[in-house]
Structures are given as structure tokens and as C-alpha cells.
Amino acid sequence: MPVETTNWAGNYTFRAAEHVSPSSVEEIQHLVRSRPRLKALGRRHSFNSIADTTGTHISLDRLKSTTLDSDARTVTVGAGISYGELAPWLDRRGFALHNLASLPHISVAGACATATHGSGLGNACLAEAVSAIEFVDGRGNLHKLTRASHPGQFFGAVVGCGALGIVTSLSLDLLPTFQVAQTVYENLLFETLASHLPGIFASGYSVSLFTDWQGHRATQAWVKRRVPAESVEPASFFGATRQTRDLHPLPDHFAQSCTPQQGIPGPWHDRLPHFCMEFTPSSGAELQSEYFVPIADGFAAITAVESLRERITPHLFISELRTVAADEHWLSMAHQRDSLAIHFTWKPEWSAVREILPLIEARLAPFRARPHWAKLFTMPHATLRSLYPRFSEYEALRRHFDPEGRLASDFHDPPE
Ligand SMILES: Cc1cc2nc3c(=O)[nH]c(=O)nc-3n(C[C@H](O)[C@H](O)[C@H](O)COP(=O)(O)OP(=O)(O)OC[C@H]3O[C@@H](n4cnc5c(N)ncnc54)[C@H](O)[C@@H]3O)c2cc1C
């Protein structure tokens, strides 16, 4: 297979000098010991340099094993597997994961490393399912940390942003499989959001609102209900109108790439993501940014961003509002904060977007907004560090597992 030299969106060209796909943990250990600089590469869906290195890119795509422990309700997976490969396999065996991102194409290891999330008031990020992590550190030593036995290091290592080692396998907690029905509503007025934000996001297992920031409204509300437990499906949702045809969240995009809607029940893995595995998710040529604020500040933060709508909308495909439950992972954007995530899918117009992001970051600064690690942001590293109470412990963990800085890069240690 030809080696990809850019990320999925094509907005970032990797600087890695070499790309290797080892087939065993021993081979990874040998590679780490013999290379001065390296970094694991997942499915290339990040929008910034987080996955890059000037040395060797290690792809885990030959490590995709799956070992199910039905009694303990866990699965241990090779770090190269994607959610699109794992989820149907689990479903056929009667199990589910608690949540999924908007797309199934990403690797489990890459998603957990960046605190990737879906939506749902009660749903923490995807890393929350991890109960054990095995990785080769920067000196080539293999470690296994579990939630139960190593809580001190575990919560710093799972959302590790690729800087602690090469993850070789992860164990994930499972639920019994479940069915979800997804309904899309159009035109939910922001006034309603002002008074009912928690109620709107509590209306389903996973709720997403989309907006172009014009007209003081969400263009679409995607409500994913567990069935039969949450099967009530009103024709009107807080004043928004139920749709009788499938829709794509981006204007002028065909709905065939989206998971089935109109309240038709289906397996969790075919409803929780917005996009299907066999199609290009979202738009393709695009940029993404996302900021996490405490949910209690959610409407104030929405209003702050809305005040920039004349700057934002011309360069935007769509924005998405989701909720993420708090967790304990040191670098999770929802660390100890039930969060509202304000997402931007931008047109591929970086010169304009890079001027707008500082304005958004300034408006969201009073809410101590944390940017998504895998998306585009402009705030200085010192500001980033100040947003995470355990950042210095994470840096100590990096020094512990990678004392020679083989996994370091400008992303983690930007020049002052
Ligand atoms: C169309 C689209 C939709 C998206 N939707 C969502 C969404 O709904 N929610 C959300 O939160 N994010 C979303 N994202 C962002 C995406 O989830 C993250 O970029 C995620 O990290 C991508 O996983 P990946 O496998 O492509 O990892 P990569 O981008 O390749 O790598 C990400 C990080 O993980 C590290 N990594 C990967 N594998 C390993 C390993 N084996 N060991 C150690 N470190 C490793 C890399 O070094 C890097 O630091 C979306 C992105 C796109 C392009």
C-alpha cells in the first residue's frame, strides 16, 4: 500500500522520514530502541501536527487482534483496529461500547489518545471505556497499566496524545448490545436553548445540534434514543419539526453517507455515529476545531460565539453542539467538567480560519474553554497548560516513560 504523506483532510503534510508497519510487539520494541525519533500514527484523522514526527511513523495496522472476555464484559484489542471494524464484531457477539464518535473510520488507539468523544449527558469520552493499556515506552520497555492497579499513571497515560509510548493493545469495558432510533428535527430556536439546554440534551441517549450561527437557531437536532427504553418520538422537539426524509448535517451534501434516521431502530454502531463506514464522512476537504466549556456555561458560551457569526459563517460548513460527561483522565477536554463541546467544520480556508480562531478563543476564554487536542486551535501552549490542573503531572509522566524525548515533537514542546 502506498504511504500516505498527509492527514486525512489533506491540510497537513507529515514530516516523518520513514513509515513502518511492524507485525509484533517485539518488532515495535526493536524499532523504538533503534530510532532516535518516532510516533504512532493511527488513521490520520487529526487536523494538526499531533500525530507527526521528524523521525519514524509507526503504523499499528497489522495489530488488530480481538479477545473477548464475555464474563468480565471486556474486549482486548490490538491498537490498529478501527471502531468500524470492532463495533459490528462486538454487536454480533451481543456486546456494545458505551458511545462512538461521529465517524467509525478512526482507530481505537488514536481516538482514545486524543479524548475523542460522541454526545450524551451521561456519556464520557471514548477513553472512558479503557480499563487497561499496554504500550512500549520511549526506551523500548513494555508496560501494562490498569485502571484498578495503577490509577496514578493510568489516568495520565490513556489520553496520552501519543507522547508516552506506542500503544499496542487496549482493554475496553462493554455493555450488552442495544438498539437506537435516530430522529432529525429542523429549526430549533436558540431562545428555547436559553431556557431548556439541559432538557434538550437529556432528551436522548445522544443529542447533537447543528448550526450555521445564522437566524438564532440550530438548523438540525439529531436525537438518538435507546429503544424501547426511550422510544417516545414527538412530531415536534422543543418547537423543531421532525423530518420525514434523511438529512446530511452539511448543506448541499447527500444523506446517503449518513446513518439511518426517521426513527427506524437499528444496532448502536449503525446509529450513534452520524456517518457510515463505507462512505466519506463529513465533507472531506475541510478543517475542524472544537472547544469544551462547562455545561453550566453552555448557553453563555453559545451566545459568545454567536456574536462572531458574521466572521464565522462565510468560512463554515457547519457547527455542532454536543455534551460530554466529566471524567478523570488528566488530559481529557472534559477532565472533571461536564462539558458542552462547540465544534466547527470549516471550509478548507486556513488563511481565514486562522484569523477567526483567536477571536473565538478570546470570546470563550472566560469559560476556560479547552480545545480538542486533535483539531485546529491557536492558543499558546502556556494557556493550554493552565487549563489542565494535572498538566505538570502529565509532563512528569512523559519524562518518566520517554526520558530521551524520542516521542517528543513541536506539538508537545512548541518553540517559545
Ligand atoms: C471527519 C472527522 C470526524 C471527526 N469526528 C470526531 C468526533 O465526532 N469526535 C471527536 O472527538 N473527534 C472527532 N474527530 C477527530 C478524531 O476523532 C481524532 O483526530 C482522532 O484522534 C483520530 O484517530 P486516528 O486513528 O485517525 O488517529 P491519528 O490522527 O492518526 O492520531 C491521533 C493521535 O493518536 C496517537 N496514536 C494513534 N495510534 C496510537 C498508538 N497505537 N499508540 C500511541 N499513540 C497513538 C497519535 O500519535 C496522535 O497523537 C473527527 C475527525 C474527522 C476527520
Side-chain angles (χ1 to χ4, degrees):
M1 238 178 10
V3 173
E4 300 284 356
T5 53
T6 71
N7 65 346
W8 172 84
N11 69 300
Y12 182 84
T13 300
F14 293 122
R15 293 181 301 159
E18 180 189 29
H19 185 109
V20 289
S21 298
S23 58
S24 70
V25 172
E26 294 72 27
E27 210 180 319
I28 294 171
Q29 291 181 282
H30 172 74
L31 278 164
V32 171
R33 289 184 180 127
S34 60
R35 301 297 195 279
R37 290 266 166 174
L38 59 137
K39 181 70 57 79
L41 182 65
R43 296 294 169 99
R44 304 181 293 111
H45 278 66
S46 298
F47 289 87
N48 56 36
S49 63
I50 190 169
D52 205 7
T53 173
T54 50
T56 302
H57 253 158
I58 299 191
S59 167
L60 282 287
D61 54 12
R62 293 168 75 187
L63 298 187
K64 294 187 180 183
S65 59
T66 45
T67 308
L68 181 66
D69 184 336
S70 301
D71 295 333
R73 276 201 201 157
T74 61
V75 67
T76 298
V77 297
I81 201 163
S82 70
Y83 285 100
E85 292 161 324
L86 175 62
W89 187 92
L90 287 174
D91 186 53
R92 284 195 295 277
R93 286 156 181 80
F95 291 101
L97 297 165
H98 76 286
N99 210 355
L100 290 168
S102 70
L103 77 175
H105 308 67
I106 52 181
S107 70
V108 174
C112 292
T114 58
T116 286
H117 63 99
S119 192
L121 278 183
N123 292 324
C125 71
L126 305 189
E128 188 68 354
V130 177
S131 62
I133 180 170
E134 193 178 77
F135 63 96
V136 175
D137 74 9
R139 283 177 297 189
N141 299 322
L142 186 64
H143 300 271
K144 181 174 180 179
L145 305 178
T146 76
R147 194 196 286 139
S149 61
H150 303 81
Q153 295 181 330
F154 177 84
F155 287 102
V158 175
V159 180
C161 293
L164 298 180
I166 310 297
V167 177
T168 53
S169 76
L170 292 157
S171 299
L172 308 174
D173 291 340
L174 302 176
L175 301 173
T177 187
F178 58 93
Q179 296 260 307
V180 176
Q182 164 169 256
T183 308
V184 176
Y185 301 83
E186 281 189 304
N187 295 320
L188 189 144
L189 298 179
F190 276 2
E191 276 97 49
T192 319
L193 211 51
S195 45
H196 297 291
L197 188 142
I200 287 168
F201 281 101
S203 299
Y205 187 74
S206 166
V207 175
S208 289
L209 304 184
F210 292 92
T211 182
D212 57 10
W213 301 104
Q214 296 296 314
H216 203 53
R217 52 96 174 87
T219 50
Q220 296 176 9
W222 288 44
V223 184
K224 300 168 192 254
R225 299 183 176 89
R226 283 183 72 148
V227 290
E230 303 171 320
S231 56
V232 184
E233 191 191 278
S236 171
F237 178 74
F238 293 91
T241 311
R242 188 173 66 201
Q243 283 316 295
T244 50
R245 66 195 196 289
D246 285 0
L247 293 176
H248 194 292
L250 278 63
D252 306 324
H253 285 63
F254 291 114
Q256 65 173 15
S257 61
C258 296
T259 49
Q261 303 162 24
Q262 303 182 59
I264 300 164
W268 56 281
H269 63 87
D270 198 24
R271 296 294 184 278
L272 292 177
H274 305 328
F275 303 109
C276 301
M277 184 72 176
E278 53 277 15
F279 291 97
T280 299
S282 194
S283 182
E286 65 190 57
L287 307 173
Q288 294 189 11
S289 307
E290 191 168 30
Y291 297 92
F292 293 64
V293 298
I295 195 160
D297 295 327
F299 190 69
I302 290 168
T303 306
V305 174
E306 191 192 23
S307 68
L308 293 168
R309 62 187 175 279
E310 300 314 329
R311 295 292 305 268
I312 292 172
T313 309
H315 305 288
L316 187 77
F317 278 128
I318 204 73
S319 270
E320 182 176 10
L321 309 173
R322 289 179 281 184
T323 53
V324 191
D327 64 58
E328 287 301 322
H329 294 284
W330 300 350
L331 258 57
S332 163
M333 292 80 75
H335 176 73
Q336 295 185 341
R337 297 199 321 204
D338 287 329
S339 299
L340 177 81
I342 306 177
H343 165 92
F344 303 82
T345 300
W346 302 103
K347 295 172 186 170
E349 299 169 358
W350 178 232
S351 56
V353 172
R354 75 190 306 175
E355 302 293 326
I356 299 169
L357 292 182
L359 305 178
I360 294 174
E361 290 169 8
R363 295 288 162 102
L364 293 179
F367 313 111
R368 298 184 56 75
R370 296 170 176 157
H372 194 309
W373 290 111
K375 303 184 182 182
L376 296 164
F377 55 87
T378 53
M379 71 176 60
H381 197 63
T383 310
L384 258 185
R385 291 171 51 110
S386 72
L387 295 169
Y388 291 89
R390 305 194 71 168
F391 204 92
S392 56
E393 288 167 80
Y394 167 74
E395 292 194 313
L397 212 56
R398 278 182 61 201
R399 287 193 295 276
H400 174 75
F401 285 119
D402 183 28
E404 288 150 30
R406 288 184 174 166
L407 296 145
S409 73
D410 285 356
F411 180 87
H412 303 289
D413 306 296
E416 291 304 319

